[in-house]
Amino acid sequence: MKLIIATIKPFKLEEVREALTGIGVRGMMVTEIKGFGAQSGHTEIYRGAEYAVNFVPKIKLEIGVADSMADQVVETIAAAAKTGKIGDGKIFVVDINQAMRVRTGETNEDAL
């Protein structure tokens, strides 16, 4: 099993969600986050004063999938989230050692 962690631009969330449900992903966790990478923030003007925005709003997706689906999920996220501009995000794939669905007690791939 794999845990796919992706950071994407907020306005791409619905497009990514639709693409993932289209390939059979049954659930995901979504968190609003702030961060920076190559962008390293930017400046904005608010009420006539310029100030630095050091952290950029992003969305973090966490998706547990079977090993056989991991590559397809990564490719789907990358295609749906891509704008071709700086700040499109990152995708990480991590091994899951164990999973359990609390309600039913199902474990591992059955819990996904």
Side-chain angles (χ1 to χ4, degrees):
M1 298 174 297
K2 302 288 184 192
L3 175 63
I4 298 171
I5 303 167
T7 59
I8 63 172
K9 292 182 175 183
F11 68 88
K12 284 293 198 171
L13 176 59
E14 192 58 28
E15 191 175 333
V16 170
R17 187 198 62 79
E18 287 175 5
L20 289 171
T21 56
I23 64 165
V25 172
R26 298 185 316 196
M28 69 181 75
M29 292 175 278
V30 178
T31 310
E32 293 180 5
I33 62 169
K34 291 181 181 184
F36 72 92
Q39 288 173 284
S40 66
H42 61 281
T43 58
E44 289 185 4
I45 297 176
Y46 179 71
R47 294 188 177 182
E50 187 174 315
Y51 66 97
V53 177
N54 294 320
F55 294 98
V56 180
K58 299 287 184 182
I59 297 292
K60 179 169 83 169
L61 306 175
E62 296 175 273
I63 307 158
V65 297
D67 288 336
S68 60
M69 279 193 76
D71 290 339
Q72 184 182 17
V73 169
V74 168
E75 291 167 12
T76 300
I77 294 169
K82 184 175 183 175
T83 67
K85 296 188 168 99
I86 195 166
D88 275 350
K90 296 252 190 315
I91 302 171
F92 303 99
V93 180
V94 181
D95 287 326
I96 297 175
N97 294 326
Q98 183 178 2
M100 175 188 261
R101 186 183 314 259
V102 174
R103 178 179 55 87
T104 62
E106 292 170 296
T107 59
N108 298 328
E109 287 194 19
D110 293 335
L112 300 176

